[in-house]
Amino acid sequence: MYGFEALTFNIHGGYLEAIVRGHRAGLLTTADYNNLCQCENLDDIKMHLSATKYGSYLQNEPSPLHTTTIVEKCTLKLVDDYKHMLCQATEPMSTFLEYIRYGHMIDNVVLIVTGTLHERDVQELIEKCHPLGMFDSIATLAVAQNMRELYRLVLVDTPLAPYFSECLTSEDLDDMNIEIMRNTLYKAYLEDFYKFCQKLGGATAEIMSDLLAFEADRRAVNITINSIGTELTREDRKKLYSNFGFLYPYGHEELAICEDIDQVRGVMEKYPPYQAIFSKMSYGESQMLDKAFYEEEVRRLCLAFEQQFHYAVFFAYMRLREQEIRNLMWISECVAQNQKSRIHDSVVYMF
Amino acid sequence: MAGQNARLNVVPTVTMLGVMKARLVGATRGHALLKKKSDALTVQFRALLKKIVTAKESMGDMMKTSSFALTEVKYVAGENVKHVVLENVKEATLKVRSRQENIAGVKLPKFDHFSEGETKNDLTAIEVLVELASLQTSFLTLDEAIKTTNRRVNALENVVKPKIENTISYIKGELDELEREDFFRLKKIQGYKRREVERQAANAKAFAEEMVLEGISMQRGISINAARSLLVGGGGEKDADIIF
């Protein structure tokens, strides 16, 4: 019931909410980003980061430092924080936290399946997987020869099983283009997550449905723009859109028939939340769209912290950390490649 | 220096001299031709070097832009986008063909790129790379060729020709010496012959004198010695005791 969470939330969730808010205070601020942007090389960046929460993870790295090492170590810290929270959580918070990582699990599964189809070594593939998306039987994915076995042997035990039944029959699994499979899985995942949050009710449901709706809409726009000019039919495109969000259902109808970016813009400008994003871009330009979406997402995520006693803070914290890692990757690459003039193009400042 | 004394071990005959002279002519002509080839190759080499320098500079810029474009993609699509793209590619759009080109007599490899299927992407960076690869292999091959040619030129100039020249002078020397020996032998024999003739003449004269002496001694009934002194003494010392 909305409003009475203050009475009972802290029994099970108080400790972890405090932890998450502590972590949130450790996110890099605009001042930190400005300092990092002034660095001349990667060692300077390492020095600046050693003053932040990332210090202990980076100090043992020998120079010369590589941008991928920085990203790896920061991701490692994220994973450690997440695991710490996960093992302290009880139901239903632990299910909620698990939901957060399903997205990465889907990416890992798709990566291993395509790698096996092209006969790559299993060990190499496992190293390339995202650490948040690892599950125990992931190595056995490489054993399966086709999709049906894959499903029967491995996936039926994982939480991803119900999503695969959405992928229709096993014949479809064999022929389906791998990217379409990934998007179909993700769509099923988002809808499942949405239903779960609705079941939880209260502030969690409200905030999460807002965040998930934005996510679904963003993916719909991305799918539309990327499938312009490809062989993806309108029916298939519509099948990849999620069944919730601001754009559902009329926006999806209109997006499905779009053939170029200006038509997409025309559709999106009818919806006030997205009109602001699209008005920032001049006609015919789609480079800034990704950054605009990230900025909007960050804005909404920060707002999630304004309320207490709900689980959406965890989701918001994970997403904000991922954005921070993206920012760090961008800054390190710009510094390493001597392109400091472009640094401010893509850094999204949070606070 | 070893060159001064080196010569081929041959029988110093006139035929050999002819053979050696022919070889010298061949070596000289070969030397001149190879030198020309070496110069032509060096000219090509310099031109190639200039092209490589410009290609490398433009490649540096291209790589920078491409690398940055990759960073932008990584920003949007996450770190693993590289593997996702790699797994999804079925066939290469841009392929490379190699063929041989003949430059100043040297076969140089050259790479051409051609695209199969269309792509929306800007492939100039790869095309520059292919060209640079082509130029660099040509550079290395040409370098090898120039080294071998120069080695041959130097060998001809400093080893083969002196050897042959030394051999020729040796043969000539030997032939001259043989001729001199012959001449000397001839002269010596002539000397012997002359002395022989003179001895014969002297013997004959002595014999003739003997005959006359004998005749006189038989006529006069005096001894040979007295006859000799009579014959000789016509202008010689008179015996005071003889009256007329």
Side-chain angles (χ1 to χ4, degrees), chain A residues 259-279:
Chain A
E259 292 301 328
D260 71 60
I261 298 194
D262 291 324
Q263 286 180 347
V264 171
R265 176 203 296 277
V267 170
M268 298 305 284
E269 280 180 350
K270 294 193 204 132
Y271 296 88
Y274 304 121
Q275 189 188 25
I277 299 178
F278 278 82
S279 64

Short mmCIF file of all heavy atoms in Angstrom, two decimals, chain A residues 259-279:
data_model
loop_
_atom_site.label_atom_id
_atom_site.label_comp_id
_atom_site.label_asym_id
_atom_site.label_seq_id
_atom_site.Cartn_x
_atom_site.Cartn_y
_atom_site.Cartn_z
N GLU A 259 10.37 5.23 -42.14
CA GLU A 259 11.43 4.82 -43.04
C GLU A 259 12.68 5.67 -42.95
O GLU A 259 13.70 5.35 -43.54
CB GLU A 259 10.94 4.82 -44.49
CG GLU A 259 9.91 3.76 -44.78
CD GLU A 259 10.44 2.36 -44.51
OE1 GLU A 259 11.64 2.13 -44.69
OE2 GLU A 259 9.64 1.50 -44.10
N ASP A 260 12.63 6.80 -42.29
CA ASP A 260 13.87 7.52 -42.05
C ASP A 260 13.77 8.35 -40.77
O ASP A 260 12.73 8.44 -40.15
CB ASP A 260 14.29 8.39 -43.24
CG ASP A 260 13.40 9.58 -43.42
OD1 ASP A 260 13.31 10.41 -42.50
OD2 ASP A 260 12.78 9.68 -44.48
N ILE A 261 14.89 8.97 -40.42
CA ILE A 261 14.99 9.57 -39.09
C ILE A 261 14.03 10.74 -38.90
O ILE A 261 13.51 10.94 -37.81
CB ILE A 261 16.45 10.04 -38.87
CG1 ILE A 261 17.35 8.83 -38.92
CG2 ILE A 261 16.58 10.75 -37.56
CD1 ILE A 261 18.71 9.08 -38.41
N ASP A 262 13.78 11.48 -39.97
CA ASP A 262 12.89 12.63 -39.77
C ASP A 262 11.48 12.17 -39.46
O ASP A 262 10.76 12.82 -38.68
CB ASP A 262 12.92 13.53 -41.01
CG ASP A 262 14.27 14.21 -41.14
OD1 ASP A 262 14.86 14.55 -40.08
OD2 ASP A 262 14.75 14.39 -42.27
N GLN A 263 11.08 11.05 -40.02
CA GLN A 263 9.76 10.53 -39.69
C GLN A 263 9.71 10.11 -38.23
O GLN A 263 8.72 10.35 -37.52
CB GLN A 263 9.41 9.31 -40.56
CG GLN A 263 9.08 9.68 -41.98
CD GLN A 263 8.74 8.44 -42.78
OE1 GLN A 263 8.98 7.32 -42.34
NE2 GLN A 263 8.18 8.64 -43.95
N VAL A 264 10.82 9.49 -37.77
CA VAL A 264 10.89 9.09 -36.36
C VAL A 264 10.74 10.32 -35.48
O VAL A 264 10.00 10.34 -34.50
CB VAL A 264 12.23 8.38 -36.08
CG1 VAL A 264 12.42 8.17 -34.60
CG2 VAL A 264 12.29 7.07 -36.81
N ARG A 265 11.47 11.35 -35.88
CA ARG A 265 11.41 12.58 -35.08
C ARG A 265 9.98 13.10 -35.04
O ARG A 265 9.49 13.51 -33.98
CB ARG A 265 12.34 13.62 -35.71
CG ARG A 265 12.29 14.96 -35.03
CD ARG A 265 12.76 16.01 -36.00
NE ARG A 265 14.15 15.77 -36.32
CZ ARG A 265 15.15 16.19 -35.54
NH1 ARG A 265 14.90 16.87 -34.45
NH2 ARG A 265 16.39 15.92 -35.87
N GLY A 266 9.31 13.05 -36.19
CA GLY A 266 7.94 13.53 -36.23
C GLY A 266 7.05 12.78 -35.27
O GLY A 266 6.23 13.37 -34.55
N VAL A 267 7.24 11.45 -35.22
CA VAL A 267 6.43 10.65 -34.30
C VAL A 267 6.74 11.01 -32.86
O VAL A 267 5.84 11.20 -32.04
CB VAL A 267 6.73 9.15 -34.54
CG1 VAL A 267 6.10 8.31 -33.46
CG2 VAL A 267 6.25 8.74 -35.90
N MET A 268 8.04 11.11 -32.55
CA MET A 268 8.41 11.29 -31.15
C MET A 268 8.02 12.65 -30.62
O MET A 268 7.81 12.82 -29.43
CB MET A 268 9.93 11.11 -30.98
CG MET A 268 10.44 9.76 -31.34
SD MET A 268 9.61 8.47 -30.44
CE MET A 268 10.36 8.63 -28.87
N GLU A 269 7.94 13.63 -31.50
CA GLU A 269 7.66 14.97 -30.96
C GLU A 269 6.23 15.12 -30.49
O GLU A 269 5.88 16.11 -29.86
CB GLU A 269 8.01 16.02 -32.02
CG GLU A 269 9.51 16.26 -32.04
CD GLU A 269 9.94 17.29 -33.04
OE1 GLU A 269 9.09 17.70 -33.87
OE2 GLU A 269 11.11 17.68 -32.99
N LYS A 270 5.42 14.11 -30.78
CA LYS A 270 4.05 14.19 -30.25
C LYS A 270 3.99 13.87 -28.78
O LYS A 270 2.98 14.10 -28.12
CB LYS A 270 3.16 13.20 -31.00
CG LYS A 270 2.97 13.55 -32.45
CD LYS A 270 1.85 12.73 -33.01
CE LYS A 270 2.03 12.62 -34.50
NZ LYS A 270 1.91 11.29 -35.01
N TYR A 271 5.04 13.25 -28.25
CA TYR A 271 5.01 12.86 -26.84
C TYR A 271 5.88 13.83 -26.05
O TYR A 271 7.08 13.89 -26.26
CB TYR A 271 5.53 11.43 -26.68
CG TYR A 271 4.65 10.43 -27.36
CD1 TYR A 271 4.84 10.11 -28.70
CD2 TYR A 271 3.60 9.84 -26.67
CE1 TYR A 271 4.01 9.22 -29.32
CE2 TYR A 271 2.77 8.93 -27.30
CZ TYR A 271 2.97 8.63 -28.63
OH TYR A 271 2.16 7.75 -29.25
N PRO A 272 5.31 14.58 -25.12
CA PRO A 272 6.04 15.64 -24.44
C PRO A 272 7.36 15.21 -23.82
O PRO A 272 8.33 15.93 -23.92
CB PRO A 272 5.07 16.13 -23.36
CG PRO A 272 3.74 15.66 -23.78
CD PRO A 272 3.91 14.51 -24.71
N PRO A 273 7.45 14.04 -23.16
CA PRO A 273 8.74 13.74 -22.55
C PRO A 273 9.87 13.63 -23.57
O PRO A 273 11.01 13.94 -23.28
CB PRO A 273 8.53 12.38 -21.87
CG PRO A 273 7.09 12.11 -21.91
CD PRO A 273 6.48 12.95 -22.97
N TYR A 274 9.54 13.17 -24.78
CA TYR A 274 10.60 12.96 -25.76
C TYR A 274 10.78 14.15 -26.68
O TYR A 274 11.76 14.24 -27.39
CB TYR A 274 10.30 11.70 -26.59
CG TYR A 274 10.11 10.50 -25.70
CD1 TYR A 274 8.93 9.78 -25.69
CD2 TYR A 274 11.12 10.14 -24.81
CE1 TYR A 274 8.77 8.71 -24.84
CE2 TYR A 274 10.96 9.08 -23.97
CZ TYR A 274 9.77 8.36 -23.98
OH TYR A 274 9.62 7.31 -23.14
N GLN A 275 9.83 15.06 -26.61
CA GLN A 275 9.96 16.21 -27.49
C GLN A 275 11.20 17.01 -27.12
O GLN A 275 11.92 17.48 -27.98
CB GLN A 275 8.70 17.09 -27.34
CG GLN A 275 8.65 18.18 -28.35
CD GLN A 275 7.52 19.11 -28.02
OE1 GLN A 275 7.08 19.22 -26.87
NE2 GLN A 275 7.03 19.80 -29.02
N ALA A 276 11.44 17.08 -25.78
CA ALA A 276 12.60 17.85 -25.34
C ALA A 276 13.89 17.25 -25.90
O ALA A 276 14.80 17.97 -26.32
CB ALA A 276 12.64 17.86 -23.81
N ILE A 277 13.95 15.92 -25.89
CA ILE A 277 15.18 15.27 -26.39
C ILE A 277 15.39 15.58 -27.85
O ILE A 277 16.47 15.97 -28.29
CB ILE A 277 15.08 13.75 -26.21
CG1 ILE A 277 14.92 13.41 -24.75
CG2 ILE A 277 16.31 13.09 -26.78
CD1 ILE A 277 14.77 11.93 -24.53
N PHE A 278 14.32 15.38 -28.62
CA PHE A 278 14.50 15.51 -30.06
C PHE A 278 14.68 16.95 -30.48
O PHE A 278 15.24 17.22 -31.54
CB PHE A 278 13.33 14.87 -30.78
CG PHE A 278 13.50 13.38 -30.92
CD1 PHE A 278 13.18 12.53 -29.86
CD2 PHE A 278 14.03 12.84 -32.06
CE1 PHE A 278 13.37 11.17 -29.98
CE2 PHE A 278 14.21 11.48 -32.19
CZ PHE A 278 13.88 10.64 -31.15
N SER A 279 14.20 17.89 -29.66
CA SER A 279 14.36 19.27 -30.09
C SER A 279 15.81 19.71 -29.95
O SER A 279 16.21 20.70 -30.54
CB SER A 279 13.46 20.18 -29.26
OG SER A 279 13.87 20.13 -27.91
#
